[in-house]
Amino acid sequence: ASLSPESSSAGPPAPPSSPVVASPRRTGGLRPPASSLGGDEGGAHASAPHAHISSWANGIRALVSKKKRRFRGGGYDLDLTYITPRIVAMGFPATSTEALYRNDSDAVKAFFEERHAGHYKVYNLCTERDYPDDTFPVVSKAFLFDDHNPPPLSMFLPFCQDVTSWLTDHPENVVAIHCKAGKGRTGVMICAY
């Protein structure tokens, strides 16, 4: 049985302005509807707050992301996807030169502030990468483990309890879970939940 509060009869609210729909791809999963994926260069609109991000940088990010789904819409082009309306998987929010090919931490913060202000918690699973504590309002660094390694079994229950606690605190709360690429460690911990 899942510890997820989403099994309640009322169900979780959908993210504002970004409903999630079942993907028609064979891999399954959830994603924003095609109408929010954007159709212009890299999904950045000229009037969007992050339109200064050039199309070549978005092209580099797409190469790094490979075949992973990206969130494109509302002026954002992020290595980020809604697994459920309240659980987000994403790649590492980087700064400096690394932000040219990974998620730009400022863009990630703007995204969450716009869509989930005051109701998001970021889980950094990386032992090899970090960012300042004030990058996001609420960050958990309590569940760190090395890349290409499984987490200790003793980590699963506390992680699941922490996520459950945050999600049940308020019906609009969401969690954003990441490692470096947002695949291995992120997927393991989301599956554990």
Side-chain angles (χ1 to χ4, degrees):
S2 172
L3 296 174
S4 172
E6 295 169 12
S7 59
S8 68
S9 60
S17 305
S18 181
V20 178
V21 296
S23 169
R25 298 172 92 180
R26 288 177 44 189
T27 56
L30 301 172
R31 65 179 176 87
S35 62
S36 73
L37 295 179
D40 54 336
E41 287 186 290
H45 305 310
S47 62
H50 301 288
H52 67 279
I53 299 173
S54 66
S55 60
W56 69 265
N58 288 335
I60 292 170
R61 288 187 190 111
L63 287 172
V64 171
S65 293
K66 299 185 181 173
K67 294 184 179 184
K68 289 192 309 183
R69 290 195 183 105
R70 297 185 62 81
F71 183 95
R72 291 186 177 109
Y76 298 99
D77 183 3
L78 297 170
D79 183 359
L80 174 152
T81 190
Y82 283 88
I83 304 303
T84 74
R86 298 180 70 198
I87 299 174
V88 175
M90 66 181 189
F92 186 81
T95 58
S96 180
T97 307
E98 191 178 18
L100 291 173
Y101 57 91
R102 295 202 187 278
N103 284 337
D104 181 300
S105 65
D106 291 336
V108 172
K109 183 174 185 175
F111 174 86
F112 283 109
E113 286 296 320
E114 180 182 308
R115 294 170 181 269
H116 305 287
H119 294 284
Y120 64 97
K121 182 174 186 176
V122 178
Y123 288 83
N124 179 6
L125 306 175
C126 293
T127 55
E128 73 281 5
R129 296 257 196 280
D130 201 1
Y131 38 80
D133 290 338
D134 63 351
T135 303
F136 301 105
V138 182
V139 178
S140 173
K141 298 179 184 179
F143 306 102
L144 306 175
F145 60 104
D146 292 334
D147 202 6
H148 305 290
N149 285 278
L153 288 175
S154 61
M155 186 182 287
F156 287 123
L157 183 59
F159 173 81
C160 292
Q161 289 170 331
D162 196 82
V163 170
T164 297
S165 175
W166 177 258
L167 293 178
T168 56
D169 252 5
H170 194 281
E172 292 180 26
N173 281 358
V174 300
V175 294
I177 302 163
H178 75 82
C179 51
K180 187 170 70 175
K183 298 185 295 185
R185 290 173 281 185
T186 300
V188 165
M189 297 311 278
I190 289 173
C191 286
Y193 181 74

